[in-house]
């Protein structure tokens, strides 16, 4: 290896060693744990698939896993679909001070995530902001109960939480589209709707795929939102993982659950990524 | 531009010793063979150019002289000292970069004086040197200007002053004029040449523009694909190019089939089917070639003359048919067809008074001579 | 280019969306100054007493101190590690470059709970105690990718010939770093420090799993959320944090723009950590 190679490796070694110690080692540890079993207070280190069997066959875990997937997919679809129009508006219809708009979009997300989720609880609650405002104004006679402590609340809260992470990649992809391509399409006879579906959308696909992945992956791992606004219907797999590592004191099972959910998410992401590649354009 | 008194006494004639010896310099980038054994001696005080198309290795060679790349093989000797293991900051060379590399966070004076900070000069002496350098490049009073306030031409001068203030043995210039517009470029070519001559410092220029190299250089090394094809003065390169490739790279050259039909005391007999027969002296034969190797001759457009009524004195005459004209104001370029030769031949004529522009299709007499013919394989 | 008139529905959607985005955030100052213990309409009188409550809560002050300690440490460490990685990426070719970089950036795509749980498992196995320093370690892990993103952009914008010119003029490697490289990437460094600090300040999941007896601010807030009477003061705290984050964000953006401007590059909004 030449001099440049050696220098480069030397320079990258501090962050690399840190990542190996803080990322690779822990993750390997989790995988190892998933093959061990909890024997009351001790860890039995004989390799076994008991945890995985339990994780994949016990109904409660299956329910949670499917619900997590379902909610995550729903959140992703809702978030990306609602983010697209605003990204489009910003890219194509805002001509001055785009930076300011972007900045304004990101401000809400630099508040404490915890607080934001909590605030949605405050907004959607039985005695919360929305109900009390509507009561006060007289639109409803009784507070609405379907707003909080269910899967809907989780979807709404997460769609709000991940909004900028969905908006930004789509915006960047839209900005990259050469406007003269649209003019050419118009020149060749396409109206605005056809232009959108034949030119804009395909070219924006890489951004849409990126947004989808950016929202989907962390959503599965979020336990705060389900805990605060999900009620019993809205509990997700991550809450179970947290419980296993906490109260239930069954770290190996928690590890198996964690590895399983990671495997599922990884497969889903890979599927999305490959579909995205087929639909055209590079995904960064 | 003003002469530095200290430099006047240093001025040496271009016949002085080599200040740079390149021996067998080779460079690989991975498996890519960028330089294939460069041998050259650059004389002290000369304006030396490395000329060639992009990718020929000229910039790589320059950077190796500067010390930013190490040779895979071969030696580089500057001022009698081998440069092996000597890093760029210790070499007696200074470079003017293609992008000028003006430090954006420093003003003009701080840029020019950057390299002096490590030296032994007092602050006042440093300021004085900076002033002198700015004077040399006609930027007096620009010391406090910010970097982003400078135009392209001004940045180039600052880069030059910054290199000159260090009093290097060799100044290296990496396509310094390519970013400037045409007028400014023409002006700078003349100014750079004059500056170099008044200072007497060795300049090595890298360029892909053959006109630029011809105007500015004492000697030029024409490079193709990692090798020096020919190292000679501009005149020699133009009049006696060593190969068809060099000939086409420098200026325009007409190529015609030819054979040597005989050899005698006076010279070689040439048969050029398109033009006729002629005798050329033996020194026309390129080094390393035998008379039977010759299959082509070259003749520059300005060495062919369209004969108007009353023109006399042409050594030889051939007939041709005009098939195209390009009018440039002071010159007209004619494309003509010679008998038995399918490719068009270019003739350049100065539009002096009394010369009308010929019509396409007209038949003309073309004058030519032996001396201007170049022999090729 | 022909300027399209925005279709009415799109503009309306944009405004409605912005209202949706700001809805929770606007509530913070609204109820922080509201003289009532219940977070609901209609509003009562204006008061600043909740801020007084905050001022007189020692547990809060301790949490703030801890968060600052963790935040500053995480910011400095992430920036140093990020600078190493960014510089290596921008300037050098070395074997397995893409793989190594992808690995270091991995925390960006892993759910935080996985990271937190994995670190917890490792620490427990090694018998290491949980403390603020374990939290710092976790925070550095997730901040380094952001730092790398910001600093790679800064280093890429640095014309390589500037460093070569400095050496050509006689300056050593270290001298070049001090006189040319550092001044020109300084705005990126400051931006990285601010962003990392802000991320650490707000980070809950890793702190929750990895903290010992000393809590950071988000963990403290979590503990307060169960108590309804504490809610208004939590609103007050949230308002302060919001204001602080906004100021930090404005500063970070200003520095990023200055860095781009200094190097004569295009200081567009999307050039940032997108």
């Amino acid at each position: 290896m030449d001099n440049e190679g050696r220098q480069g490796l030397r320079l990258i070694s501090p962050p690399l060693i840190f990542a190996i110690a803080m990322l690779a080692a822990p993750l390997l540890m989790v995988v190892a744990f998933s093959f061990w079993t909890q024997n009351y207070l001790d860890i039995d280190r004989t390799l076994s698939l008991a945890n995985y069997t339990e994780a994949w066959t016990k109904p409660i875990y299956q329910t949670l896993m499917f619900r997590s997937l379902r909610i995550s997919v729903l959140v992703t679809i809702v978030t990306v679909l609602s983010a697209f129009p605003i990204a489009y508006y910003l890219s194509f219809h805002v001509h001055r001070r785009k930076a300011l708009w972007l900045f304004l979009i990101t401000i809400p997300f630099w508040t404490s995530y915890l607080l934001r989720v909590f605030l949605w609880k405050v907004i959607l609650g039985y005695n919360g902001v929305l109900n009390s405002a509507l009561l006060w104004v007289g639109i409803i006679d009784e507070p609405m109960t379907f707003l909080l402590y269910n899967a809907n609340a989780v979807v709404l809260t997460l769609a709000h939480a991940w909004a900028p992470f969905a908006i930004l990649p789509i915006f960047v992809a839209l900005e990259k589209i050469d406007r003269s391509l649209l003019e050419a399409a118009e020149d060749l006879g396409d109206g605005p709707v056809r232009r959108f579906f034949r030119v804009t959308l395909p070219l924006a696909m890489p951004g849409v795929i990126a947004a989808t992945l950016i929202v989907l992956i962390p959503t599965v791992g979020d336990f705060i939102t389900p805990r605060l606004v999900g009620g019993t219907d809205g509990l997700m797999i991550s809450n179970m993982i947290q419980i296993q590592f906490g109260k239930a004191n069954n770290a190996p099972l928690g590890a198996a659950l964690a590895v399983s959910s990671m495997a599922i998410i990884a497969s889903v992401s890979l599927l999305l990524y490959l579909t995205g590649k087929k639909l055209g354009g590079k995904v960064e | 531009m003003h002469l530095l008194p200290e430099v006047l006494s240093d001025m040496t004639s271009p016949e002085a010793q080599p200040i740079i010896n390149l021996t067998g310099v080779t460079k690989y980038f991975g498996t890519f063979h960028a330089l294939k054994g460069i041998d050259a001696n650059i004389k002290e005080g000369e304006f030396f150019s490395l000329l060639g198309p992009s990718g020929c290795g000229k910039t790589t060679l320059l950077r190796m002289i500067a010390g930013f790349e190490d040779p895979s093989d071969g030696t580089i000797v500057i001022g009698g000292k081998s440069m092996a293991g000597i890093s760029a900051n210790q070499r007696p060379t200074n470079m003017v970069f293609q992008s000028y590399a003006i430090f954006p966070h420093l003003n003009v004076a701080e840029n020019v004086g950057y390299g002096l900070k490590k030296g032994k000069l007092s602050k006042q002496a440093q300021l004085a040197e900076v002033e002198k350098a700015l004077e040399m490049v006609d930027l007096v009073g620009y010391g406090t200007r910010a970097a982003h306030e400078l135009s392209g031409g001004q940045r180039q001068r600052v880069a030059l002053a910054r290199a000159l203030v260090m009093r290097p043995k060799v100044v290296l210039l990496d396509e310094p004029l390519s970013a400037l517009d045409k007028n400014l470029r023409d002006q700078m070519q003349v100014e750079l040449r004059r500056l170099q001559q008044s200072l007497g410092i060795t300049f090595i220029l890298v360029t892909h523009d053959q006109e630029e190299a011809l105007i500015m250089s004492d000697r030029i090394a024409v490079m193709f694909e990692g090798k020096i094809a020919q190292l000679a003065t501009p005149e020699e390169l133009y009049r006696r190019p060593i190969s068809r490739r060099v000939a086409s790279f420098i200026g325009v050259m007409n190529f015609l089939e030819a054979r040597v039909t005989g050899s005698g005391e006076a010279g070689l007999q040439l048969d050029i089917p398109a033009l006729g027969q002629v005798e050329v002296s033996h020194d026309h034969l390129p080094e390393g070639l035998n008379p039977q190797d010759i299959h082509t001759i070259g003749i520059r457009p300005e060495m062919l003359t369209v004969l108007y009524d009353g023109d006399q004195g042409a050594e030889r005459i051939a007939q041709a048919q005009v098939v195209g004209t390009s009018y440039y104001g002071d010159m007209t370029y004619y494309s003509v067809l010679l008998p038995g030769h399918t490719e068009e031949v270019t003739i350049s004529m100065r539009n002096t008074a009394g010369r009308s522009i010929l019509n396409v299709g007209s038949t003309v007499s073309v004058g030519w001579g032996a001396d201007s013919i170049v022999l090729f394989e | 280019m022909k300027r399209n008139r925005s279709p009415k529905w799109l503009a309306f959607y944009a405004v409605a969306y912005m209202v949706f985005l700001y809805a929770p955030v606007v509530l913070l100052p609204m109820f922080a100054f509201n003289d009532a213990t219940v977070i609901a309409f209609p509003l009562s009188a204006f008061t600043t007493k909740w801020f007084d409550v905050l001022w007189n809560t020692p547990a809060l002050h301790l949490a703030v101190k801890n968060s600052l300690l963790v935040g500053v440490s995480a910011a400095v460490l992430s920036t140093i590690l990020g600078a190493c990685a960014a510089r290596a990426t921008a300037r050098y070719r070395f074997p397995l470059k893409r793989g190594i970089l992808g690995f270091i950036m991995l925390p960006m795509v892993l759910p935080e709970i996985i990271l937190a749980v994995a670190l917890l498992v490792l620490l427990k196995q090694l018998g290491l105690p949980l403390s603020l320093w374990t939290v710092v370690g976790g925070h550095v892990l997730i901040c380094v990718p952001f730092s790398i993103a910001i600093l790679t952009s800064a280093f890429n914008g640095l014309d390589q010939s500037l460093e070569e010119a400095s050496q050509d003029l006689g300056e050593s490697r270290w001298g070049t770093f001090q006189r040319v490289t550092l001044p020109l990437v300084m705005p990126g460094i400051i931006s990285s420090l601010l962003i990392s600090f802000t991320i650490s300040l707000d980070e809950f999941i890793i702190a929750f799993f990895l903290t010992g007896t000393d809590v950071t601010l988000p963990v403290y807030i979590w503990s307060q959320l169960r108590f309804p009477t504490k809610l208004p003061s939590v609103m007050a705290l949230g308002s302060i944090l919001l204001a602080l984050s906004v100021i930090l964000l404005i500063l970070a953006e200003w520095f990023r723009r200055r860095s781009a401007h200094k190097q004569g590059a295009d200081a567009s909004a999307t050039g940032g950590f997108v």
Side-chain angles (χ1 to χ4, degrees), chain A residues 170-187:
Chain A
I170 299 178
F171 173 76
V172 169
L174 286 172
E175 283 284 274
K176 282 203 188 136
I177 297 179
D178 184 356
R179 302 303 192 241
S180 58
L181 292 173
L182 292 165
E183 290 182 346
E186 192 177 356
D187 182 66

Side-chain angles (χ1 to χ4, degrees), chain C residues 120 123-124 126-135 210-212:
Chain C
L120 185 64
L123 289 170
K124 281 261 159 86
L126 292 178
L128 291 173
L130 297 177
S131 72
L132 288 180
W133 290 109
T134 47
V135 177
L210 296 184
T211 196

Side-chain angles (χ1 to χ4, degrees), chain C residues 19-115:
Chain C
V19 168
F20 167 66
L21 285 188
Y22 273 85
V25 168
V26 156
L27 291 184
L28 275 176
M30 208 189 287
F31 287 102
F33 290 106
N34 187 32
D35 192 2
T37 47
V38 180
I39 313 291
F41 281 105
L43 295 175
S44 317
F46 180 91
T47 178
T48 56
K49 71 182 183 196
W50 305 118
F51 291 91
D52 289 330
V53 171
L54 289 179
W55 193 252
N56 293 317
T57 316
L60 172 64
H61 300 165
L62 195 60
V64 169
K65 198 171 65 99
N66 291 333
S67 273
L68 285 178
L69 183 65
V70 167
V72 168
S73 314
V76 168
L77 286 172
S78 317
T79 302
I80 293 176
L81 289 178
C84 291
R87 170 94 182 168
T89 311
R91 282 280 174 269
Y92 299 91
R93 283 168 301 192
F94 50 89
L96 300 174
K97 183 169 170 181
R98 284 189 75 179
I100 291 177
L101 200 62
F103 177 62
I104 296 177
M105 302 289 274
L106 200 56
M108 253 182 157
V109 294
L110 290 177
E112 269 175 58
I113 188 173
I114 304 282
L115 294 171

Side-chain angles (χ1 to χ4, degrees), chain A residues 4 82 104 111-112 132 217, chain C residues 13 21-22 41 93 109 202 242:
Chain A
E4 181 183 340
S82 59
L104 288 176
T111 62
S112 166
S132 60
I217 294 173
Chain C
Y13 179 89
L21 285 188
Y22 273 85
F41 281 105
R93 283 168 301 192
V109 294
D202 184 42
L242 173 62

Side-chain angles (χ1 to χ4, degrees), chain A residues 104-121:
Chain A
L104 288 176
I105 287 177
T106 48
I107 284 183
F109 304 94
W110 291 96
T111 62
S112 166
Y113 173 69
L114 206 53
L115 280 178
R116 261 182 290 136
V117 175
F118 180 73
L119 285 167
W120 278 110
K121 175 177 165 148

Side-chain angles (χ1 to χ4, degrees), chain B residues 6 26 63 66 78 98 136-137 153 167 197 211 226 241 260 285 291 294-295 303 306 323 344-346 354 370 373:
Chain B
E6 314 84 274
T26 311
R63 287 170 60 84
I78 303 181
Q98 189 171 4
M136 262 194 265
V137 298
R167 310 213 187 187
Q197 281 175 319
E211 261 184 42
V260 173
L285 189 64
I294 304 299
H295 294 97
M303 296 302 183
V306 169
V323 292
E344 291 170 13
V345 166
T346 310
I373 292 179

